[in-house]
Amino acid sequence: MLKTGVWEEVDEGVSRKIHPPGKHIMMMEVRFQKGAVGALHSHPHEQYTYCLKGKMEFTIDGEKKVLQQGDTLHIPSNALHGVIALESSILLDTFYPLREDLLELEND
């Protein structure tokens, strides 16, 4: 059975909760302690990020953008991106299509 709705630590100062997915779209809540880093990575999925709390500095394909509470950000498919928490922060990430790689991890 798919494990969703459970907080798990994924890196130092970073934890996530994957919400139950739909057929083609999914959401994930991510908490960052101040100074925590989301390492540079890319994936074929489009991502839309909403900052629920705090202040984050994103790097997307080499360009920096600061996001704070109430701001949104679109991350295109295959864009190299990462983030650093300038304050204790919470993001709500939406992915299309489903991040099968994350959902498969939940089944382990």
Side-chain angles (χ1 to χ4, degrees), residues 31 41 44 57 65-66 75 97 104:
R31 294 180 181 166
H41 66 286
E57 182 182 81
K65 178 168 175 78
V66 173
I75 301 171
E104 287 171 8

Side-chain angles (χ1 to χ4, degrees), residues 31-101:
R31 294 180 181 166
F32 293 83
Q33 294 176 2
K34 182 178 180 178
V37 174
L40 284 172
H41 66 286
S42 66
H43 43 75
H45 316 83
E46 274 190 280
Q47 179 176 338
Y48 207 77
T49 297
Y50 176 73
C51 184
L52 293 167
K53 174 188 170 193
K55 189 174 185 180
M56 310 284 292
E57 182 182 81
F58 279 82
T59 302
I60 304 171
D61 284 339
E63 293 191 32
K64 295 190 182 299
K65 178 168 175 78
V66 173
L67 213 67
Q68 41 195 345
Q69 186 174 347
D71 290 343
T72 58
L73 178 68
H74 175 257
I75 301 171
S77 177
N78 297 311
L80 184 63
H81 60 286
V83 67
I84 184 166
L86 303 176
E87 300 175 358
S88 177
S89 301
I90 303 173
L91 299 176
L92 183 62
D93 293 334
T94 303
F95 300 98
Y96 177 84
L98 295 177
R99 288 282 310 263
E100 300 274 348
D101 57 324

